[in-house]
Every structure is written in structure tokens, then in C-alpha cells.
Amino acid sequence: FGPSAERPLRDAIVAAQAAGGTLLRDSGTVGAHLPLLGTLRELRQAGDRVESFEAVLSGTLSFVLGSVQQGEALSAAVQGAVALGFAEPNPARDLSGEDAARKLVIMLRALGHDVDFADIERVALVEPGLVDGVEAARFPAVLREMDETWRARTAIADARRERWVYRATYAHGRARVAPERIALEHPFARLAPCENALILRSKYYAAAPLTIAGPGAGIDLTATAVFADLLDAARLHAAAPTPELAAAAA
């Protein structure tokens, strides 16, 4: 999507905005209707310095891994995500981690970092070679090849009192998205399937981290974010009343 586009396209979009006096609103691109991007931009404008953060950014992978951790097969969990509208009919981009990585790019740019998609270290949930070019109808059969692997991984996690999440991290200038095991005591381990979350540490939030969490996918929530952006743009572009209209209103 545009906000995570490579630098040449990103710069062209910014230049077009400046030349045309237009607005680009993107709150629905990360976390559906969660106040993630607005919060990051406000912290930057207020002079805060974000040292590090970790996040669960893919509602699709949150749902899939949450379902798998509860005993469902990977292939069935992906089918369930598609059926509920939490994933595209062809979820290859989600499973490769591309969607989460692009969301991480958008967040880092909101903080003022000049990063590109290629700067994000990305570990796929399902190897791209397994799903690239596969038609949506064949996805369940292809993913069944990974069902036993993920059953074994979740069994190991259960034995170690851990849980699998697809985590985005930023620290010391390094940005990464990857499936990782976390302790059951970690806040991310308590997330419901489909939930997104951000835990952020900064100059202002040194004593305790800033935490934002809630549902991060779904048609209704995303549409609400887009509609809110449209209303915001309409308000900013509303024409000032003419003297005649002002007089009539008086």
C-alpha cells in the first residue's frame, strides 16, 4: 500500500500531496481502528524519543496462531480466517509476513525514520516457496503439509509454558517481524485471536511502557477507520461560508 511504498513512489506521493494540497489518511492501514499511527505521530510531534517497541500487527496471523495454539490445524485456522474476513481469499502475503512488515514500515515512518520495506528483517510463518503462485482454492491442501509441523511446535510451546505469536520488534535501529515463542506471562500471550497490540518504551514512557491493544482486523473495524478518515478529510476541506451564507445563518 502507498504509505509503505518504496522511497521513489513514497516521495512522489508526498510531492503530489504538497503540489495539490491534498490529504493522505492511513489510520486503517495498521491495527484497523486502533489508535496506533496517530499516537506515534503525536509522540514524535511532542518531542518524545521512542527507544524500542514490540507489536502484534497482523490480525490474520494473530487469529491463525491463536487458533493453532488452541489445537486447531494450521490449514483449518487459515481457512477460518478467510471465512471470517480476517484474511484475503489468497492469504500468501499474510503468511509470508509481508503484510506485517509493511505495517512496521508505516509505523517507523510515522516516527520519522527513513526506512524501506527491504530494511525489515522478515521471517515467514509459511515459507514463500510453499505458497507463492498457489491459487486460493488449492491453499488448504498445500497448507496441510505444514499441519504436523505446527502441531509439534505448539506442543513444545505448551510444554515450556509458552505461546506462539507473530511479533514485530524495533530496537537499536533494527526492525524485524517473525514467528516467536513467548512466555505465558508476557502480555502478548494473553491476546485473543485476531487481537493486535503495541508495547512502546520511550523517553516519556520510561517508568512504564505505553500499551495499546484491541481487535486488529475485520471488515467492519477497517471500514470504520476509513470512514473516520473520510470525515476528517471532509472537515478539513470544507469551504468557508460565503458572506451571504453567513448572513443568512445569522
Side-chain angles (χ1 to χ4, degrees), residues 40-215:
L40 296 180
R41 290 181 175 123
E42 287 174 3
L43 290 176
R44 178 190 175 195
Q45 291 168 1
D48 199 1
R49 185 178 66 253
V50 175
E51 308 290 351
S52 64
F53 65 79
E54 57 182 319
V56 172
L57 299 177
S58 172
T60 301
L61 297 186
S62 174
F63 178 88
V64 168
L65 286 177
S67 300
V68 168
Q69 199 71 52
Q70 292 172 5
E72 195 164 5
L74 176 71
S75 57
V78 173
Q79 283 182 278
V82 172
L84 291 170
F86 298 152
E88 298 294 330
N90 188 325
R93 195 172 73 175
D94 292 308
L95 297 174
S96 72
E98 179 185 345
D99 179 69
R102 290 197 176 277
K103 290 174 179 176
L104 184 54
V105 169
I106 295 170
M107 292 175 68
L108 290 171
R109 287 178 176 175
L111 288 170
H113 298 292
D114 184 23
V115 300
D116 229 335
F117 178 70
D119 300 324
I120 309 298
E121 180 185 348
R122 176 166 54 102
V123 180
L125 183 74
V126 175
E127 287 304 317
L130 185 66
V131 295
D132 279 353
V134 175
E135 296 179 358
R138 292 190 58 241
F139 246 90
V142 170
L143 288 177
R144 277 196 282 273
E145 298 180 25
M146 296 293 296
D147 283 348
E148 286 305 319
T149 297
W150 274 100
R151 283 195 184 96
R153 288 174 177 174
T154 54
I156 292 171
D158 285 340
R160 296 179 176 179
R161 293 186 50 77
E162 295 173 332
R163 176 180 169 179
W164 282 95
V165 298
Y166 198 83
R167 180 160 56 176
T169 54
Y170 172 74
H172 310 297
R174 180 189 178 196
R176 182 176 190 262
V177 294
E180 296 176 345
R181 291 197 313 266
I182 57 172
L184 290 181
E185 294 76 25
H186 192 287
F188 288 171
R190 296 190 290 273
L191 296 178
C194 196
E195 205 171 355
N196 280 188
L198 168 70
I199 300 176
L200 175 148
R201 295 166 179 82
S202 69
K203 180 176 68 175
Y204 295 166
Y205 289 93
L210 170 66
T211 302
I212 300 172

Side-chain angles (χ1 to χ4, degrees), residues 8-22:
L9 178 55
R10 186 270 316 270
D11 294 343
I13 292 172
V14 171
Q17 283 182 266
T22 57

Side-chain angles (χ1 to χ4, degrees), residues 223-243:
T224 299
V226 173
F227 187 55
D229 283 347
L230 287 172
L231 292 177
D232 189 34
R235 282 191 294 268
L236 291 172
H237 281 289
T242 64

